């Protein structure tokens, strides 16, 4: 859960929910800039690890290229309501892509 007293961070939101197919299986290592823990490997075959990686990417991405590299649209749509995101990140994505909120 996120504290409402923490200032909102604006999210980088991709313009179109098409044309990007990031990894959905296997083990991936996020860049240190996005996830600063020593063990940055996520086993995407484990649903909780996949959701955690998506939460981090949606929160920490600084560019469209990072979103395209790490996110898969069908997976994003399927997992959207299960993701624990800061309110500002969820709001920014749902304003740009109302179909996610449906």
């Amino acid at each position: 859960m996120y504290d409402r007293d923490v200032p909102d961070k604006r999210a980088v939101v991709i313009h179109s929910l098409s044309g990007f197919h990031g990894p959905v299986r296997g083990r991936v290592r996020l860049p240190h800039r996005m996830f600063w823990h020593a063990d940055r490997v996520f086993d995407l075959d484990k649903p909780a690890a996949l959701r955690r990686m998506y939460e981090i990417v949606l929160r920490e991405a600084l560019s469209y290229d990072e979103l395209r590299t790490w996110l898969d649209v069908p997976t994003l749509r399927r997992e959207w309501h299960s993701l624990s995101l800061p309110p500002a990140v969820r709001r920014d994505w749902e304003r740009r892509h109302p179909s996610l909120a449906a």
Side-chain angles (χ1 to χ4, degrees), residues 43-53 78-79 83:
D43 182 351
L44 302 185
D45 294 320
K46 297 179 179 176
L50 181 137
R51 285 191 298 275
R52 179 74 176 127
M53 188 200 78
R78 184 185 73 236
E79 298 294 336
L83 300 176

Side-chain angles (χ1 to χ4, degrees), residues 5-38:
D5 294 333
V6 175
D8 284 348
K9 175 187 173 195
R10 298 298 305 220
V12 174
V13 180
I14 201 135
H15 295 293
S16 172
L17 286 179
S18 64
F20 59 107
H21 304 283
V24 294
R25 304 198 72 125
R27 295 168 56 91
V28 299
R29 180 185 305 270
L30 285 178
H32 191 261
R33 189 207 64 69
M34 293 183 93
F35 192 59
W36 49 93
H37 293 257

